[in-house]
Amino acid sequence: MTDLKISSEPLDIISCIGKVKNLQCGGMDIFIGTIRNKTKEKKVVRLEYEAYEPMALKEMKKIAEYALQLWPVENILIHHRVGVLKTGDIAVIVAVCAPHREAAFDACRYAIDTLKKTVPIWKKEVFEDGEEWVAAHA
Amino acid sequence: MEIRLLAFGIVKEIFKVNLMEISLPEGSTVDVLRKNLEHEFPAIKRLSTYMIAVNNEYAAEDVILKAQDEIAIIPPVSGG
C-alpha cells in the first residue's frame, strides 16, 4: 500500500502510524523532518514551502512504488507539508512498515533521500536579516 | 507557437510571474527553450542547475515541445 499526500494543513504523526500499521509487519520505521531553528548560525524565522503538486505527487508515487519493488516492505507513506512553517513544525513524514526491520530502515532512508533529490518541492528560508531559496545557488 | 511556462521557487522570482507565455518556432526542443530563457533571463544561468518538466516528467534536452504541453521550469529542489 502507498499513501501519498501534499498538505497545507499540519501533518499528524499518529494518523500516519495508523495508516501504515499492518499485522504482517514486525517493524515500522518513521522519519519525521522538522524545521531547524538555525542554518549556518543564522536564526531561522520561518520557512516557506511550495510544491508543483501534480508532478510532486507523481514523483512521490515513483519513489514509493520503487521502494516496494526493491525491499520486502508492506506499506509506505510519504506526506509533505507546504505553506509557511515555523521552527519545530513537521515538514515531512515518511513511514514504512515491513515484516523485518532492515527493509523498513532501508526503504525509509531511500524514500527521504530520493525525495530530497527528485520531488519538485522548494523551501525558502527566512532569516531575521534576509531570505534564501535553499539549494538554488551552488 | 505559443507555449505556457509554469515557474516555481526562485524561478518565479526571476520571471516575476508564475505563469508566462513565450513564442518559439514550431518543433522547438527543450534545449531551444533553455537557450531562449537564458538569453531572456540571464539570472537563471546563475542557478546551480535547473530542469525542465514536460507534462509532469523531467524532460531530456531533445524532447520536442508542443503548444498544448504543460511545461514547468524546475530550479534545484529542496523538499524535506
Side-chain angles (χ1 to χ4, degrees), chain A residues 49-50 52 58 62 80 116-119 121-124 133-137, chain B residues 8-10 12-13 46-48 53 56-58 70 72 75-80:
Chain A
Y49 279 84
E50 70 174 69
Y52 178 19
K58 207 168 168 183
K62 283 183 197 169
H80 205 297
K116 282 174 162 282
K117 289 181 203 139
T118 65
V119 176
I121 295 177
W122 302 269
K123 61 177 168 251
K124 182 160 74 174
W133 285 100
V134 176
H137 298 101
Chain B
F8 295 94
I10 196 168
K12 199 167 63 180
E13 293 179 1
R46 291 198 293 274
L47 299 177
S48 47
N56 295 319
E57 292 285 347
Y58 290 111
E70 181 171 310
V77 301
S78 53

PDB file of all heavy atoms in Angstrom, chain A residues 49-50 52 58 62 80 116-119 121-124 133-137, chain B residues 8-10 12-13 46-48 53 56-58 70 72 75-80:
ATOM      1  N   TYR A  49       7.319  26.773   2.086  1.00  0.00           N
ATOM      2  CA  TYR A  49       7.405  25.636   1.168  1.00  0.00           C
ATOM      3  C   TYR A  49       6.403  25.790   0.043  1.00  0.00           C
ATOM      4  O   TYR A  49       5.261  26.204   0.260  1.00  0.00           O
ATOM      5  CB  TYR A  49       7.048  24.336   1.895  1.00  0.00           C
ATOM      6  CG  TYR A  49       8.161  23.737   2.713  1.00  0.00           C
ATOM      7  CD1 TYR A  49       8.400  24.187   4.008  1.00  0.00           C
ATOM      8  CD2 TYR A  49       8.957  22.706   2.210  1.00  0.00           C
ATOM      9  CE1 TYR A  49       9.411  23.628   4.774  1.00  0.00           C
ATOM     10  CE2 TYR A  49       9.960  22.138   2.975  1.00  0.00           C
ATOM     11  CZ  TYR A  49      10.190  22.606   4.256  1.00  0.00           C
ATOM     12  OH  TYR A  49      11.185  22.055   5.015  1.00  0.00           O
ATOM     13  N   GLU A  50       6.820  25.437  -1.159  1.00  0.00           N
ATOM     14  CA  GLU A  50       5.840  25.329  -2.243  1.00  0.00           C
ATOM     15  C   GLU A  50       6.138  24.079  -3.064  1.00  0.00           C
ATOM     16  O   GLU A  50       7.271  23.581  -3.093  1.00  0.00           O
ATOM     17  CB  GLU A  50       5.821  26.580  -3.121  1.00  0.00           C
ATOM     18  CG  GLU A  50       7.038  26.788  -3.984  1.00  0.00           C
ATOM     19  CD  GLU A  50       6.848  27.975  -4.927  1.00  0.00           C
ATOM     20  OE1 GLU A  50       6.809  29.118  -4.434  1.00  0.00           O
ATOM     21  OE2 GLU A  50       6.746  27.759  -6.146  1.00  0.00           O
ATOM     22  N   TYR A  52       5.134  21.828  -6.820  1.00  0.00           N
ATOM     23  CA  TYR A  52       4.463  21.662  -8.127  1.00  0.00           C
ATOM     24  C   TYR A  52       3.670  20.377  -7.922  1.00  0.00           C
ATOM     25  O   TYR A  52       4.166  19.283  -8.168  1.00  0.00           O
ATOM     26  CB  TYR A  52       5.521  21.535  -9.210  1.00  0.00           C
ATOM     27  CG  TYR A  52       5.018  21.304 -10.616  1.00  0.00           C
ATOM     28  CD1 TYR A  52       3.713  21.591 -10.999  1.00  0.00           C
ATOM     29  CD2 TYR A  52       5.892  20.811 -11.583  1.00  0.00           C
ATOM     30  CE1 TYR A  52       3.295  21.389 -12.298  1.00  0.00           C
ATOM     31  CE2 TYR A  52       5.479  20.605 -12.888  1.00  0.00           C
ATOM     32  CZ  TYR A  52       4.185  20.893 -13.237  1.00  0.00           C
ATOM     33  OH  TYR A  52       3.773  20.674 -14.539  1.00  0.00           O
ATOM     34  N   LYS A  58       3.400  12.676  -8.398  1.00  0.00           N
ATOM     35  CA  LYS A  58       3.830  11.644  -9.344  1.00  0.00           C
ATOM     36  C   LYS A  58       5.226  11.126  -8.976  1.00  0.00           C
ATOM     37  O   LYS A  58       5.484   9.919  -9.001  1.00  0.00           O
ATOM     38  CB  LYS A  58       3.848  12.274 -10.748  1.00  0.00           C
ATOM     39  CG  LYS A  58       3.647  11.309 -11.876  1.00  0.00           C
ATOM     40  CD  LYS A  58       3.391  12.077 -13.162  1.00  0.00           C
ATOM     41  CE  LYS A  58       3.466  11.151 -14.347  1.00  0.00           C
ATOM     42  NZ  LYS A  58       3.290  11.874 -15.616  1.00  0.00           N
ATOM     43  N   LYS A  62       6.446   7.386  -7.642  1.00  0.00           N
ATOM     44  CA  LYS A  62       7.561   6.601  -8.200  1.00  0.00           C
ATOM     45  C   LYS A  62       8.458   6.088  -7.074  1.00  0.00           C
ATOM     46  O   LYS A  62       8.885   4.932  -7.088  1.00  0.00           O
ATOM     47  CB  LYS A  62       8.426   7.464  -9.134  1.00  0.00           C
ATOM     48  CG  LYS A  62       7.834   7.709 -10.492  1.00  0.00           C
ATOM     49  CD  LYS A  62       8.836   8.515 -11.325  1.00  0.00           C
ATOM     50  CE  LYS A  62       8.153   9.149 -12.518  1.00  0.00           C
ATOM     51  NZ  LYS A  62       9.003  10.143 -13.195  1.00  0.00           N
ATOM     52  N   HIS A  80       3.968  15.353   2.776  1.00  0.00           N
ATOM     53  CA  HIS A  80       4.795  16.567   2.795  1.00  0.00           C
ATOM     54  C   HIS A  80       3.920  17.789   2.993  1.00  0.00           C
ATOM     55  O   HIS A  80       2.862  17.901   2.390  1.00  0.00           O
ATOM     56  CB  HIS A  80       5.604  16.689   1.501  1.00  0.00           C
ATOM     57  CG  HIS A  80       6.851  17.506   1.669  1.00  0.00           C
ATOM     58  ND1 HIS A  80       6.820  18.834   2.001  1.00  0.00           N
ATOM     59  CD2 HIS A  80       8.158  17.173   1.573  1.00  0.00           C
ATOM     60  CE1 HIS A  80       8.061  19.281   2.091  1.00  0.00           C
ATOM     61  NE2 HIS A  80       8.895  18.284   1.846  1.00  0.00           N
ATOM     62  N   LYS A 116      14.359  14.213  -1.484  1.00  0.00           N
ATOM     63  CA  LYS A 116      15.133  15.455  -1.453  1.00  0.00           C
ATOM     64  C   LYS A 116      15.827  15.748  -2.782  1.00  0.00           C
ATOM     65  O   LYS A 116      16.211  16.882  -3.043  1.00  0.00           O
ATOM     66  CB  LYS A 116      16.181  15.389  -0.329  1.00  0.00           C
ATOM     67  CG  LYS A 116      15.574  15.636   1.046  1.00  0.00           C
ATOM     68  CD  LYS A 116      16.610  15.418   2.121  1.00  0.00           C
ATOM     69  CE  LYS A 116      16.199  16.054   3.441  1.00  0.00           C
ATOM     70  NZ  LYS A 116      16.409  17.520   3.489  1.00  0.00           N
ATOM     71  N   LYS A 117      16.004  14.705  -3.608  1.00  0.00           N
ATOM     72  CA  LYS A 117      16.683  14.908  -4.894  1.00  0.00           C
ATOM     73  C   LYS A 117      15.733  15.107  -6.066  1.00  0.00           C
ATOM     74  O   LYS A 117      16.088  15.771  -7.035  1.00  0.00           O
ATOM     75  CB  LYS A 117      17.573  13.693  -5.199  1.00  0.00           C
ATOM     76  CG  LYS A 117      18.790  13.604  -4.315  1.00  0.00           C
ATOM     77  CD  LYS A 117      19.620  12.377  -4.720  1.00  0.00           C
ATOM     78  CE  LYS A 117      20.500  11.911  -3.574  1.00  0.00           C
ATOM     79  NZ  LYS A 117      20.547  10.459  -3.456  1.00  0.00           N
ATOM     80  N   THR A 118      14.558  14.479  -6.018  1.00  0.00           N
ATOM     81  CA  THR A 118      13.740  14.434  -7.233  1.00  0.00           C
ATOM     82  C   THR A 118      12.366  15.095  -7.150  1.00  0.00           C
ATOM     83  O   THR A 118      11.792  15.431  -8.183  1.00  0.00           O
ATOM     84  CB  THR A 118      13.498  12.965  -7.676  1.00  0.00           C
ATOM     85  OG1 THR A 118      12.722  12.302  -6.666  1.00  0.00           O
ATOM     86  CG2 THR A 118      14.797  12.215  -7.894  1.00  0.00           C
ATOM     87  N   VAL A 119      11.829  15.246  -5.957  1.00  0.00           N
ATOM     88  CA  VAL A 119      10.438  15.717  -5.870  1.00  0.00           C
ATOM     89  C   VAL A 119      10.403  17.247  -5.954  1.00  0.00           C
ATOM     90  O   VAL A 119      11.085  17.928  -5.184  1.00  0.00           O
ATOM     91  CB  VAL A 119       9.777  15.217  -4.567  1.00  0.00           C
ATOM     92  CG1 VAL A 119       8.368  15.775  -4.428  1.00  0.00           C
ATOM     93  CG2 VAL A 119       9.741  13.683  -4.553  1.00  0.00           C
ATOM     94  N   ILE A 121       9.602  20.153  -4.867  1.00  0.00           N
ATOM     95  CA  ILE A 121       9.148  20.937  -3.710  1.00  0.00           C
ATOM     96  C   ILE A 121      10.324  21.851  -3.359  1.00  0.00           C
ATOM     97  O   ILE A 121      11.477  21.437  -3.464  1.00  0.00           O
ATOM     98  CB  ILE A 121       8.802  20.020  -2.515  1.00  0.00           C
ATOM     99  CG1 ILE A 121       7.609  19.128  -2.872  1.00  0.00           C
ATOM    100  CG2 ILE A 121       8.503  20.848  -1.258  1.00  0.00           C
ATOM    101  CD1 ILE A 121       7.232  18.119  -1.790  1.00  0.00           C
ATOM    102  N   TRP A 122       9.989  23.071  -2.997  1.00  0.00           N
ATOM    103  CA  TRP A 122      11.045  24.056  -2.692  1.00  0.00           C
ATOM    104  C   TRP A 122      10.782  24.708  -1.358  1.00  0.00           C
ATOM    105  O   TRP A 122       9.632  24.880  -0.965  1.00  0.00           O
ATOM    106  CB  TRP A 122      11.095  25.145  -3.773  1.00  0.00           C
ATOM    107  CG  TRP A 122      11.337  24.605  -5.126  1.00  0.00           C
ATOM    108  CD1 TRP A 122      12.555  24.426  -5.717  1.00  0.00           C
ATOM    109  CD2 TRP A 122      10.360  24.124  -6.062  1.00  0.00           C
ATOM    110  NE1 TRP A 122      12.387  23.878  -6.966  1.00  0.00           N
ATOM    111  CE2 TRP A 122      11.058  23.679  -7.203  1.00  0.00           C
ATOM    112  CE3 TRP A 122       8.978  24.026  -6.054  1.00  0.00           C
ATOM    113  CZ2 TRP A 122      10.414  23.150  -8.325  1.00  0.00           C
ATOM    114  CZ3 TRP A 122       8.329  23.486  -7.161  1.00  0.00           C
ATOM    115  CH2 TRP A 122       9.046  23.058  -8.274  1.00  0.00           C
ATOM    116  N   LYS A 123      11.877  25.114  -0.694  1.00  0.00           N
ATOM    117  CA  LYS A 123      11.701  25.889   0.532  1.00  0.00           C
ATOM    118  C   LYS A 123      12.580  27.123   0.520  1.00  0.00           C
ATOM    119  O   LYS A 123      13.719  27.100   0.048  1.00  0.00           O
ATOM    120  CB  LYS A 123      11.976  25.041   1.765  1.00  0.00           C
ATOM    121  CG  LYS A 123      13.362  24.459   1.892  1.00  0.00           C
ATOM    122  CD  LYS A 123      13.490  23.708   3.220  1.00  0.00           C
ATOM    123  CE  LYS A 123      14.747  22.874   3.279  1.00  0.00           C
ATOM    124  NZ  LYS A 123      14.512  21.445   3.208  1.00  0.00           N
ATOM    125  N   LYS A 124      11.986  28.183   1.027  1.00  0.00           N
ATOM    126  CA  LYS A 124      12.717  29.435   1.193  1.00  0.00           C
ATOM    127  C   LYS A 124      12.920  29.642   2.685  1.00  0.00           C
ATOM    128  O   LYS A 124      11.964  29.587   3.456  1.00  0.00           O
ATOM    129  CB  LYS A 124      11.922  30.600   0.591  1.00  0.00           C
ATOM    130  CG  LYS A 124      12.639  31.917   0.678  1.00  0.00           C
ATOM    131  CD  LYS A 124      12.097  32.940  -0.305  1.00  0.00           C
ATOM    132  CE  LYS A 124      10.760  33.482   0.145  1.00  0.00           C
ATOM    133  NZ  LYS A 124      10.319  34.566  -0.756  1.00  0.00           N
ATOM    134  N   TRP A 133      16.310  30.958  -1.137  1.00  0.00           N
ATOM    135  CA  TRP A 133      15.786  29.684  -1.630  1.00  0.00           C
ATOM    136  C   TRP A 133      16.873  28.633  -1.440  1.00  0.00           C
ATOM    137  O   TRP A 133      17.965  28.761  -1.987  1.00  0.00           O
ATOM    138  CB  TRP A 133      15.398  29.782  -3.111  1.00  0.00           C
ATOM    139  CG  TRP A 133      14.133  30.536  -3.319  1.00  0.00           C
ATOM    140  CD1 TRP A 133      14.020  31.841  -3.705  1.00  0.00           C
ATOM    141  CD2 TRP A 133      12.801  30.057  -3.137  1.00  0.00           C
ATOM    142  NE1 TRP A 133      12.691  32.199  -3.761  1.00  0.00           N
ATOM    143  CE2 TRP A 133      11.928  31.123  -3.420  1.00  0.00           C
ATOM    144  CE3 TRP A 133      12.249  28.820  -2.748  1.00  0.00           C
ATOM    145  CZ2 TRP A 133      10.525  30.999  -3.334  1.00  0.00           C
ATOM    146  CZ3 TRP A 133      10.867  28.690  -2.666  1.00  0.00           C
ATOM    147  CH2 TRP A 133      10.027  29.770  -2.964  1.00  0.00           C
ATOM    148  N   VAL A 134      16.567  27.607  -0.671  1.00  0.00           N
ATOM    149  CA  VAL A 134      17.569  26.599  -0.323  1.00  0.00           C
ATOM    150  C   VAL A 134      18.029  25.856  -1.581  1.00  0.00           C
ATOM    151  O   VAL A 134      17.203  25.452  -2.403  1.00  0.00           O
ATOM    152  CB  VAL A 134      16.998  25.610   0.714  1.00  0.00           C
ATOM    153  CG1 VAL A 134      17.988  24.501   1.023  1.00  0.00           C
ATOM    154  CG2 VAL A 134      16.612  26.355   1.990  1.00  0.00           C
ATOM    155  N   ALA A 135      19.361  25.721  -1.725  1.00  0.00           N
ATOM    156  CA  ALA A 135      19.998  24.952  -2.812  1.00  0.00           C
ATOM    157  C   ALA A 135      19.928  25.598  -4.192  1.00  0.00           C
ATOM    158  O   ALA A 135      20.401  25.042  -5.166  1.00  0.00           O
ATOM    159  CB  ALA A 135      19.451  23.529  -2.892  1.00  0.00           C
ATOM    160  N   ALA A 136      19.345  26.802  -4.279  1.00  0.00           N
ATOM    161  CA  ALA A 136      19.179  27.417  -5.604  1.00  0.00           C
ATOM    162  C   ALA A 136      20.523  27.731  -6.258  1.00  0.00           C
ATOM    163  O   ALA A 136      20.693  27.542  -7.456  1.00  0.00           O
ATOM    164  CB  ALA A 136      18.334  28.681  -5.496  1.00  0.00           C
ATOM    165  N   HIS A 137      21.452  28.202  -5.453  1.00  0.00           N
ATOM    166  CA  HIS A 137      22.770  28.549  -5.996  1.00  0.00           C
ATOM    167  C   HIS A 137      23.829  27.636  -5.404  1.00  0.00           C
ATOM    168  O   HIS A 137      23.702  27.182  -4.268  1.00  0.00           O
ATOM    169  CB  HIS A 137      23.101  30.014  -5.692  1.00  0.00           C
ATOM    170  CG  HIS A 137      22.137  30.965  -6.326  1.00  0.00           C
ATOM    171  ND1 HIS A 137      21.128  31.566  -5.628  1.00  0.00           N
ATOM    172  CD2 HIS A 137      21.996  31.366  -7.609  1.00  0.00           C
ATOM    173  CE1 HIS A 137      20.410  32.329  -6.455  1.00  0.00           C
ATOM    174  NE2 HIS A 137      20.916  32.222  -7.672  1.00  0.00           N
TER     175      HIS A 137
ATOM    176  N   PHE B   8       8.403  28.047 -10.621  1.00  0.00           N
ATOM    177  CA  PHE B   8       8.339  27.744  -9.191  1.00  0.00           C
ATOM    178  C   PHE B   8       9.585  28.261  -8.486  1.00  0.00           C
ATOM    179  O   PHE B   8      10.635  28.461  -9.103  1.00  0.00           O
ATOM    180  CB  PHE B   8       8.235  26.226  -8.982  1.00  0.00           C
ATOM    181  CG  PHE B   8       6.967  25.651  -9.522  1.00  0.00           C
ATOM    182  CD1 PHE B   8       6.921  25.118 -10.805  1.00  0.00           C
ATOM    183  CD2 PHE B   8       5.800  25.684  -8.776  1.00  0.00           C
ATOM    184  CE1 PHE B   8       5.744  24.618 -11.326  1.00  0.00           C
ATOM    185  CE2 PHE B   8       4.616  25.182  -9.285  1.00  0.00           C
ATOM    186  CZ  PHE B   8       4.594  24.650 -10.558  1.00  0.00           C
ATOM    187  N   GLY B   9       9.440  28.418  -7.152  1.00  0.00           N
ATOM    188  CA  GLY B   9      10.583  28.788  -6.319  1.00  0.00           C
ATOM    189  C   GLY B   9      11.275  30.029  -6.841  1.00  0.00           C
ATOM    190  O   GLY B   9      10.633  31.022  -7.202  1.00  0.00           O
ATOM    191  N   ILE B  10      12.588  29.949  -6.897  1.00  0.00           N
ATOM    192  CA  ILE B  10      13.362  31.133  -7.288  1.00  0.00           C
ATOM    193  C   ILE B  10      13.093  31.544  -8.739  1.00  0.00           C
ATOM    194  O   ILE B  10      13.227  32.724  -9.096  1.00  0.00           O
ATOM    195  CB  ILE B  10      14.874  30.911  -7.021  1.00  0.00           C
ATOM    196  CG1 ILE B  10      15.624  32.251  -7.054  1.00  0.00           C
ATOM    197  CG2 ILE B  10      15.459  29.886  -7.988  1.00  0.00           C
ATOM    198  CD1 ILE B  10      17.029  32.177  -6.520  1.00  0.00           C
ATOM    199  N   LYS B  12      10.256  31.684 -10.181  1.00  0.00           N
ATOM    200  CA  LYS B  12       9.090  32.566 -10.125  1.00  0.00           C
ATOM    201  C   LYS B  12       9.548  33.996  -9.827  1.00  0.00           C
ATOM    202  O   LYS B  12       9.005  34.956 -10.380  1.00  0.00           O
ATOM    203  CB  LYS B  12       8.180  32.055  -9.000  1.00  0.00           C
ATOM    204  CG  LYS B  12       6.772  32.516  -9.071  1.00  0.00           C
ATOM    205  CD  LYS B  12       5.907  31.711  -8.112  1.00  0.00           C
ATOM    206  CE  LYS B  12       6.328  31.927  -6.672  1.00  0.00           C
ATOM    207  NZ  LYS B  12       5.494  31.152  -5.731  1.00  0.00           N
ATOM    208  N   GLU B  13      10.555  34.119  -8.981  1.00  0.00           N
ATOM    209  CA  GLU B  13      11.062  35.457  -8.651  1.00  0.00           C
ATOM    210  C   GLU B  13      11.874  36.038  -9.807  1.00  0.00           C
ATOM    211  O   GLU B  13      11.851  37.239 -10.047  1.00  0.00           O
ATOM    212  CB  GLU B  13      11.898  35.406  -7.365  1.00  0.00           C
ATOM    213  CG  GLU B  13      11.013  35.085  -6.168  1.00  0.00           C
ATOM    214  CD  GLU B  13      11.770  34.997  -4.844  1.00  0.00           C
ATOM    215  OE1 GLU B  13      13.000  35.204  -4.820  1.00  0.00           O
ATOM    216  OE2 GLU B  13      11.105  34.709  -3.835  1.00  0.00           O
ATOM    217  N   ARG B  46      22.731  31.524 -13.303  1.00  0.00           N
ATOM    218  CA  ARG B  46      23.468  31.522 -12.032  1.00  0.00           C
ATOM    219  C   ARG B  46      22.942  30.463 -11.059  1.00  0.00           C
ATOM    220  O   ARG B  46      23.547  30.228 -10.018  1.00  0.00           O
ATOM    221  CB  ARG B  46      23.416  32.920 -11.388  1.00  0.00           C
ATOM    222  CG  ARG B  46      24.217  33.956 -12.181  1.00  0.00           C
ATOM    223  CD  ARG B  46      24.540  35.192 -11.363  1.00  0.00           C
ATOM    224  NE  ARG B  46      23.342  35.963 -11.029  1.00  0.00           N
ATOM    225  CZ  ARG B  46      22.825  36.889 -11.833  1.00  0.00           C
ATOM    226  NH1 ARG B  46      23.380  37.170 -12.998  1.00  0.00           N
ATOM    227  NH2 ARG B  46      21.749  37.550 -11.458  1.00  0.00           N
ATOM    228  N   LEU B  47      21.834  29.818 -11.399  1.00  0.00           N
ATOM    229  CA  LEU B  47      21.343  28.717 -10.546  1.00  0.00           C
ATOM    230  C   LEU B  47      22.334  27.560 -10.621  1.00  0.00           C
ATOM    231  O   LEU B  47      23.001  27.376 -11.647  1.00  0.00           O
ATOM    232  CB  LEU B  47      19.969  28.239 -11.030  1.00  0.00           C
ATOM    233  CG  LEU B  47      18.850  29.281 -11.006  1.00  0.00           C
ATOM    234  CD1 LEU B  47      17.570  28.688 -11.577  1.00  0.00           C
ATOM    235  CD2 LEU B  47      18.624  29.781  -9.589  1.00  0.00           C
ATOM    236  N   SER B  48      22.390  26.761  -9.536  1.00  0.00           N
ATOM    237  CA  SER B  48      23.346  25.645  -9.580  1.00  0.00           C
ATOM    238  C   SER B  48      22.956  24.656 -10.678  1.00  0.00           C
ATOM    239  O   SER B  48      23.812  24.008 -11.270  1.00  0.00           O
ATOM    240  CB  SER B  48      23.454  24.976  -8.216  1.00  0.00           C
ATOM    241  OG  SER B  48      22.200  24.732  -7.665  1.00  0.00           O
ATOM    242  N   ALA B  53      10.437  20.411 -17.008  1.00  0.00           N
ATOM    243  CA  ALA B  53       9.498  19.285 -16.978  1.00  0.00           C
ATOM    244  C   ALA B  53       8.446  19.496 -18.053  1.00  0.00           C
ATOM    245  O   ALA B  53       7.962  20.617 -18.255  1.00  0.00           O
ATOM    246  CB  ALA B  53       8.837  19.178 -15.613  1.00  0.00           C
ATOM    247  N   ASN B  56       4.555  16.967 -16.564  1.00  0.00           N
ATOM    248  CA  ASN B  56       4.843  16.365 -15.250  1.00  0.00           C
ATOM    249  C   ASN B  56       5.970  15.335 -15.235  1.00  0.00           C
ATOM    250  O   ASN B  56       6.043  14.530 -14.302  1.00  0.00           O
ATOM    251  CB  ASN B  56       3.582  15.746 -14.627  1.00  0.00           C
ATOM    252  CG  ASN B  56       2.544  16.786 -14.295  1.00  0.00           C
ATOM    253  OD1 ASN B  56       2.886  17.853 -13.796  1.00  0.00           O
ATOM    254  ND2 ASN B  56       1.285  16.491 -14.579  1.00  0.00           N
ATOM    255  N   GLU B  57       6.830  15.353 -16.259  1.00  0.00           N
ATOM    256  CA  GLU B  57       8.006  14.472 -16.241  1.00  0.00           C
ATOM    257  C   GLU B  57       9.241  15.309 -16.569  1.00  0.00           C
ATOM    258  O   GLU B  57       9.190  16.168 -17.457  1.00  0.00           O
ATOM    259  CB  GLU B  57       7.889  13.364 -17.299  1.00  0.00           C
ATOM    260  CG  GLU B  57       6.796  12.335 -17.047  1.00  0.00           C
ATOM    261  CD  GLU B  57       7.150  11.345 -15.931  1.00  0.00           C
ATOM    262  OE1 GLU B  57       8.334  11.294 -15.509  1.00  0.00           O
ATOM    263  OE2 GLU B  57       6.238  10.648 -15.479  1.00  0.00           O
ATOM    264  N   TYR B  58      10.361  15.020 -15.879  1.00  0.00           N
ATOM    265  CA  TYR B  58      11.621  15.671 -16.244  1.00  0.00           C
ATOM    266  C   TYR B  58      11.934  15.327 -17.696  1.00  0.00           C
ATOM    267  O   TYR B  58      11.848  14.169 -18.100  1.00  0.00           O
ATOM    268  CB  TYR B  58      12.752  15.185 -15.341  1.00  0.00           C
ATOM    269  CG  TYR B  58      12.630  15.677 -13.911  1.00  0.00           C
ATOM    270  CD1 TYR B  58      12.328  14.801 -12.874  1.00  0.00           C
ATOM    271  CD2 TYR B  58      12.803  17.025 -13.617  1.00  0.00           C
ATOM    272  CE1 TYR B  58      12.210  15.259 -11.559  1.00  0.00           C
ATOM    273  CE2 TYR B  58      12.683  17.490 -12.313  1.00  0.00           C
ATOM    274  CZ  TYR B  58      12.388  16.604 -11.296  1.00  0.00           C
ATOM    275  OH  TYR B  58      12.270  17.076 -10.007  1.00  0.00           O
ATOM    276  N   GLU B  70       2.206  20.970 -20.914  1.00  0.00           N
ATOM    277  CA  GLU B  70       2.370  21.686 -19.645  1.00  0.00           C
ATOM    278  C   GLU B  70       3.867  21.689 -19.336  1.00  0.00           C
ATOM    279  O   GLU B  70       4.455  20.649 -19.081  1.00  0.00           O
ATOM    280  CB  GLU B  70       1.594  20.995 -18.527  1.00  0.00           C
ATOM    281  CG  GLU B  70       1.734  21.735 -17.201  1.00  0.00           C
ATOM    282  CD  GLU B  70       0.812  21.199 -16.118  1.00  0.00           C
ATOM    283  OE1 GLU B  70      -0.400  21.052 -16.387  1.00  0.00           O
ATOM    284  OE2 GLU B  70       1.306  20.930 -15.005  1.00  0.00           O
ATOM    285  N   ALA B  72       7.148  23.180 -17.212  1.00  0.00           N
ATOM    286  CA  ALA B  72       7.494  23.819 -15.936  1.00  0.00           C
ATOM    287  C   ALA B  72       9.001  23.958 -15.822  1.00  0.00           C
ATOM    288  O   ALA B  72       9.750  23.071 -16.226  1.00  0.00           O
ATOM    289  CB  ALA B  72       6.962  23.000 -14.769  1.00  0.00           C
ATOM    290  N   PRO B  75      13.691  24.773 -10.645  1.00  0.00           N
ATOM    291  CA  PRO B  75      15.004  25.060 -10.040  1.00  0.00           C
ATOM    292  C   PRO B  75      15.383  23.924  -9.079  1.00  0.00           C
ATOM    293  O   PRO B  75      14.565  23.030  -8.840  1.00  0.00           O
ATOM    294  CB  PRO B  75      14.743  26.370  -9.281  1.00  0.00           C
ATOM    295  CG  PRO B  75      13.280  26.382  -9.002  1.00  0.00           C
ATOM    296  CD  PRO B  75      12.619  25.634 -10.127  1.00  0.00           C
ATOM    297  N   PRO B  76      16.622  23.943  -8.536  1.00  0.00           N
ATOM    298  CA  PRO B  76      17.035  22.853  -7.644  1.00  0.00           C
ATOM    299  C   PRO B  76      15.991  22.628  -6.549  1.00  0.00           C
ATOM    300  O   PRO B  76      15.580  23.585  -5.877  1.00  0.00           O
ATOM    301  CB  PRO B  76      18.351  23.365  -7.053  1.00  0.00           C
ATOM    302  CG  PRO B  76      18.880  24.301  -8.079  1.00  0.00           C
ATOM    303  CD  PRO B  76      17.677  24.958  -8.678  1.00  0.00           C
ATOM    304  N   VAL B  77      15.581  21.379  -6.390  1.00  0.00           N
ATOM    305  CA  VAL B  77      14.519  21.089  -5.417  1.00  0.00           C
ATOM    306  C   VAL B  77      15.123  21.074  -4.009  1.00  0.00           C
ATOM    307  O   VAL B  77      16.317  20.828  -3.826  1.00  0.00           O
ATOM    308  CB  VAL B  77      13.787  19.766  -5.735  1.00  0.00           C
ATOM    309  CG1 VAL B  77      13.175  19.824  -7.131  1.00  0.00           C
ATOM    310  CG2 VAL B  77      14.708  18.560  -5.608  1.00  0.00           C
ATOM    311  N   SER B  78      14.279  21.340  -3.031  1.00  0.00           N
ATOM    312  CA  SER B  78      14.772  21.411  -1.643  1.00  0.00           C
ATOM    313  C   SER B  78      13.693  20.999  -0.647  1.00  0.00           C
ATOM    314  O   SER B  78      13.540  21.603   0.409  1.00  0.00           O
ATOM    315  CB  SER B  78      15.279  22.824  -1.351  1.00  0.00           C
ATOM    316  OG  SER B  78      14.289  23.781  -1.663  1.00  0.00           O
ATOM    317  N   GLY B  79      12.957  19.965  -1.022  1.00  0.00           N
ATOM    318  CA  GLY B  79      11.930  19.466  -0.109  1.00  0.00           C
ATOM    319  C   GLY B  79      12.554  18.741   1.069  1.00  0.00           C
ATOM    320  O   GLY B  79      13.765  18.551   1.136  1.00  0.00           O
ATOM    321  N   GLY B  80      11.699  18.342   1.990  1.00  0.00           N
ATOM    322  CA  GLY B  80      12.134  17.601   3.167  1.00  0.00           C
ATOM    323  C   GLY B  80      12.440  18.525   4.322  1.00  0.00           C
ATOM    324  O   GLY B  80      12.382  19.735   4.182  1.00  0.00           O
TER     325      GLY B  80
END
